[in-house]
């Protein structure tokens, strides 16, 4: 089965709307229960009294809940969620959110009896938890029915073809099926001979071409079922998979289990360990994304006069488009169009790709000014808003140069583990590269960033970038 059945998947927007509606209803219950306990009038002359405080709470409280859930990582794929986990997470987030609202609003109510505060808090907590959980469980029930009926299918790939692979296939088949996965086929190392797995699955290629196999067959889960003696081969495969947007499961050793490094949520079937290739925790990634959106949106709004003035100057400086688009390679090898204010003459690369230099005659006079102050990079804030880039991350390169870098160093693929950025450690320390050797030199700084990635490091890099811009030392 080489094509995923995903035409009628339920979008995460339904989950968000359900949470918003639950938060709105719970805040309404919260508001009127407080007025009732404070003996404030609810009806005046036979009409429901809706105060300014009610409308303010109805607008701000639900939005606050959505922000909390987004930061906590609640809005991921519905088809990867566990109903039991959602129950515990919803209860935990309800306690956190209700406590914050309670101390922000209720603590200032004109009531001295502590029973009032207990009653108000638990009415709010119960109503919010019950309404939110009800909406989520209804949606997840529909999702589970889609998976159980085979209407939603995600392709899985088995790595290996020996007796171990056959056993893992048999043991994990039903467990994965309950989560919507179906084995599309297997790939095998050249040194392995078929040991029966071909009776159950088609071979989709060798492990050396696993990245292309994943792309061709829309693979979303890879199960690595190789012998313990093939540790080096397993490490090579996982390294390749870390650049693909797939889930990874491997066979854990007894030492892995005893050391506590095995993480799995599958109770039934084969013992498989989940491999997480993310470099930051979920909450840090979510906060990083929120900062990206807020700062890039703020930048586009407040710097719009500068962008407009620069666009006019680009138009007057030389013939050609104002915005320059170019295909770059981003997170996990995904292609995207990067946007820049054009700083070179039109057809600057008519003889093929060529990196720019300080004395490059192709750069216009206004282009040199823009580059000095990094103004030409401002349209990339739109790439950040679209989620293709981040404010901080390794600079994205073209496939043409990536192919050359792969021949010179095997470490460039590590840079694809994070989203590319408008600025980076390499840009702060080194700046623009004029040739492959300089690109490799700048890469060392970006590798250091990946090994030490954190929100605090991002903030430091952004501050150093601003210092360079204000001093006009961009190059």
């Amino acid at each position: 089965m080489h094509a995923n059945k995903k035409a009628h998947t339920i979008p995460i927007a339904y989950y968000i709307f359900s949470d918003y509606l639950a938060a709105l209803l719970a805040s309404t219950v919260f508001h009127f229960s407080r007025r009732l306990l404070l003996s404030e009038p609810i009806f005046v002359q036979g009409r429901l009294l809706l105060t300014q405080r009610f409308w303010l709470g109805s607008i701000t409280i639900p939005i606050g809940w959505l922000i909390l859930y987004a930061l906590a990582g609640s809005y991921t794929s519905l088809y990867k969620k566990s109903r039991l986990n959602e129950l515990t997470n919803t209860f935990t987030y309800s306690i956190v959110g209700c406590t914050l609202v309670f101390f922000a609003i209720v603590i200032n109510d004109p009531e001295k009896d502590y029973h009032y505060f207990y009653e108000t808090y638990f009415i709010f907590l119960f109503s919010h938890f019950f309404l939110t959980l009800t909406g989520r469980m209804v949606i997840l029930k529909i999702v589970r029915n889609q998976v159980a009926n085979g209407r939603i299918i995600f392709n899985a790939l088995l790595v290996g073809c020996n007796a171990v692979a056959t056993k893992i296939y048999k043991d994990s088949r039903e467990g994965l099926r309950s989560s919507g996965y179906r084995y599309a086929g297997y790939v095998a190392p050249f040194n392995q001979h078929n040991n029966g797995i071909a009776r159950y699955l088609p071979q989709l290629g060798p492990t050396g071409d696993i990245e292309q196999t994943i792309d061709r067959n829309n693979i979303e889960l890879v199960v690595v079922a190789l012998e313990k003696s093939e540790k080096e081969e397993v490490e090579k495969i996982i390294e390749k998979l870390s650049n693909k947007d797939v889930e990874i499961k491997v066979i854990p050793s007894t030492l892995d289990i005893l050391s506590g490094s095995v993480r799995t949520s599958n109770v039934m079937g084969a013992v498989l360990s989940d491999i997480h290739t993310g470099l930051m925790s979920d909450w840090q990634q979510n906060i990083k994304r929120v900062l990206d959106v807020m700062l890039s949106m703020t930048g586009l709004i407040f710097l719009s006069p500068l962008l407009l003035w620069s666009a006019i100057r680009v138009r007057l400086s030389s013939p050609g488009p104002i915005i320059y688009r170019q295909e770059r390679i981003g997170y996990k090898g995904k292609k995207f169009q990067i946007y820049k204010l054009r700083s070179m003459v039109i057809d600057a690369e008519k003889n093929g790709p060529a990196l720019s230099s300080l004395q490059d005659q192709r750069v216009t006079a206004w282009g040199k000014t823009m580059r000095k102050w990094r103004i030409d990079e401002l349209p990339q804030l739109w790439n950040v808003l679209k989620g293709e880039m981040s404010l901080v991350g390794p600079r994205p390169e073209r496939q043409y140069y990536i192919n050359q870098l792969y021949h010179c160093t095997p470490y460039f693929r590590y840079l694809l583990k994070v989203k590319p950025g408008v600025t980076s450690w390499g840009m702060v320390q080194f700046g623009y590269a004029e040739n492959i050797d300089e690109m490799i030199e700048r890469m060392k700084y970006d590798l250091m960033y990946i090994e030490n990635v954190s929100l605090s490091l991002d903030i430091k890099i952004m501050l150093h970038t601003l210092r360079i811009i204000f001093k006009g030392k961009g190059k």
Side-chain angles (χ1 to χ4, degrees):
M1 187 175 300
H2 291 202
N4 290 17
K5 289 185 181 180
K6 298 199 296 183
H8 302 291
T9 54
I10 298 176
I12 196 65
Y14 282 34
Y15 217 60
I16 297 173
F17 178 74
S18 173
D19 285 349
Y20 177 83
L21 187 60
L24 181 61
L25 293 174
S27 67
T28 302
V29 172
F30 175 54
H31 174 81
F32 285 108
S33 64
R34 286 172 59 212
R35 287 172 58 180
L36 189 63
L37 291 171
L38 290 171
S39 301
E40 293 182 358
I42 296 178
F43 291 93
V44 176
Q45 297 179 350
R47 299 178 63 182
L48 184 64
L49 179 61
L50 300 178
T51 63
Q52 184 178 3
R53 187 174 61 183
F54 168 81
W55 293 114
L56 182 62
S58 298
I59 295 172
T60 58
I61 293 178
I63 293 175
W65 279 109
L66 295 185
I67 293 174
L68 173 63
Y69 290 140
L71 291 177
S74 294
Y75 299 133
T76 56
S77 172
L78 296 175
Y79 295 87
K80 309 296 172 64
K81 290 184 179 295
S82 161
R83 284 175 289 184
L84 181 59
N85 286 344
E86 285 302 284
L87 188 152
T88 55
N89 290 340
T90 302
F91 184 68
T92 302
Y93 303 148
S94 295
I95 291 177
V96 173
C98 288
T99 302
L100 291 173
V101 173
F102 178 83
F103 281 102
I105 300 176
V106 181
I107 203 70
N108 296 317
D109 283 354
E111 179 61 57
K112 304 300 181 184
D113 187 357
Y114 68 89
H115 288 98
Y116 162 78
F117 295 104
Y118 283 139
E119 290 175 4
T120 303
Y121 178 78
F122 284 108
I123 288 173
F124 186 33
L125 176 61
F126 174 78
S127 61
H128 182 85
F129 170 69
F130 176 77
L131 291 169
T132 304
L133 184 65
T134 299
R136 290 183 169 191
M137 289 298 110
V138 169
I139 293 175
L140 292 181
K141 176 64 175 175
I142 297 173
V143 167
R144 184 56 54 191
N145 287 340
Q146 285 184 320
V147 171
N149 295 332
R151 285 180 287 168
I152 300 297
I153 295 176
F154 303 100
N155 284 343
L157 180 69
L158 187 70
V159 179
C161 65
N162 55 17
V164 173
T166 303
K167 184 178 186 305
I168 289 297
Y169 165 74
K170 292 179 178 178
D171 291 346
S172 64
R173 177 177 50 187
E174 291 305 319
L176 293 180
R177 186 184 295 270
S178 66
S179 299
Y181 292 103
R182 303 290 190 278
Y183 280 111
Y186 73 94
V187 294
F190 286 115
N191 61 348
Q192 278 195 5
H193 299 288
N194 187 302
N195 198 2
I197 192 66
R199 288 183 294 174
Y200 307 99
L201 296 171
Q203 182 171 1
L204 302 180
T207 53
D209 297 333
I210 191 170
E211 293 165 300
Q212 293 82 357
T213 301
I214 288 171
D215 294 335
R216 284 197 307 267
N217 297 279
N218 300 316
I219 301 297
E220 301 200 20
L221 169 68
V222 178
V223 178
V224 182
L226 297 178
E227 299 276 7
K228 297 176 185 176
S229 58
E230 299 175 289
K231 183 179 179 182
E232 186 175 339
E233 181 70 18
V234 172
E235 290 176 350
K236 288 181 180 178
I237 291 171
I238 291 177
E239 178 57 37
K240 289 182 177 181
L241 294 177
S242 66
N243 297 323
K244 307 300 293 184
D245 191 17
V246 295
E247 293 183 64
I248 308 169
K249 293 182 182 290
V250 299
I251 306 172
S253 66
T254 304
L255 182 60
D256 293 331
I257 297 172
L258 292 176
S259 66
S261 62
V262 175
R263 293 290 179 268
T264 182
S265 57
N266 185 27
V267 177
M268 306 299 291
V271 179
L272 296 172
S273 174
D274 297 319
I275 300 295
H276 299 286
T277 56
L279 300 175
M280 298 176 73
S281 60
D282 289 343
W283 70 268
Q284 285 198 78
Q285 288 180 354
N286 293 328
I287 291 178
K288 180 180 173 74
R289 179 58 185 154
V290 170
L291 289 175
D292 282 346
V293 172
M294 291 176 61
L295 293 177
S296 57
M297 189 177 295
T298 302
L300 286 172
I301 293 172
F302 282 95
L303 296 176
S304 56
L306 176 61
L307 277 167
L308 180 60
W309 169 246
S310 299
I312 294 173
R313 291 295 303 270
V314 170
R315 173 62 73 186
L316 297 175
S317 66
S318 67
I322 295 173
I323 299 295
Y324 178 68
R325 301 183 183 186
Q326 193 175 71
E327 184 178 89
R328 298 289 176 98
I329 306 301
Y331 179 58
K332 295 194 173 182
K334 293 181 180 178
K335 298 178 181 180
F336 71 98
Q337 293 289 322
I338 196 172
Y339 303 101
K340 301 178 72 172
L341 287 170
R342 183 175 57 82
S343 59
M344 291 186 175
V345 297
I346 195 170
D347 295 329
E349 293 187 326
K350 59 183 177 182
N351 297 322
L355 293 170
S356 179
S357 63
L358 286 176
Q359 306 302 323
D360 199 326
Q361 298 300 313
R362 299 173 300 166
V363 181
T364 64
W366 175 241
K368 291 179 180 178
T369 302
M370 288 196 299
R371 290 187 170 204
K372 182 178 180 181
W373 301 94
R374 301 275 175 88
I375 298 172
D376 60 319
E377 308 283 0
L378 288 178
Q380 290 166 38
L381 295 176
W382 179 246
N383 289 113
V384 176
L385 275 179
K386 292 171 67 178
E388 297 165 336
M389 295 178 65
S390 179
L391 289 174
V392 179
R395 289 296 295 165
E397 299 294 346
R398 286 182 276 179
Q399 189 67 59
Y400 175 83
Y401 292 111
I402 289 177
N403 293 339
Q404 295 183 52
L405 287 166
Y406 278 160
H407 287 298
C408 299
T409 173
Y411 301 116
F412 183 82
R413 66 170 62 247
Y414 283 92
L415 301 187
L416 301 180
K417 289 186 175 183
V418 296
K419 283 184 181 180
V422 178
T423 186
S424 68
W425 195 336
M427 290 297 292
V428 167
Q429 290 280 6
F430 193 90
Y432 292 105
E434 298 183 7
N435 52 57
I436 293 295
D437 290 335
E438 290 190 357
M439 292 175 78
I440 294 174
E441 186 66 26
R442 186 180 65 186
M443 180 190 71
K444 296 176 182 177
Y445 296 105
D446 290 330
L447 288 173
M448 285 290 292
Y449 168 77
I450 288 176
E451 290 300 314
N452 297 275
V453 63
S454 67
L455 288 174
S456 60
L457 181 58
D458 278 9
I459 293 172
K460 289 179 182 178
I461 291 173
M462 284 191 281
L463 291 175
H464 281 294
T465 301
L466 290 175
R467 176 180 59 81
I468 291 172
I469 291 173
F470 290 145
K471 289 185 176 182
K473 293 184 177 180
K475 72 179 186 72

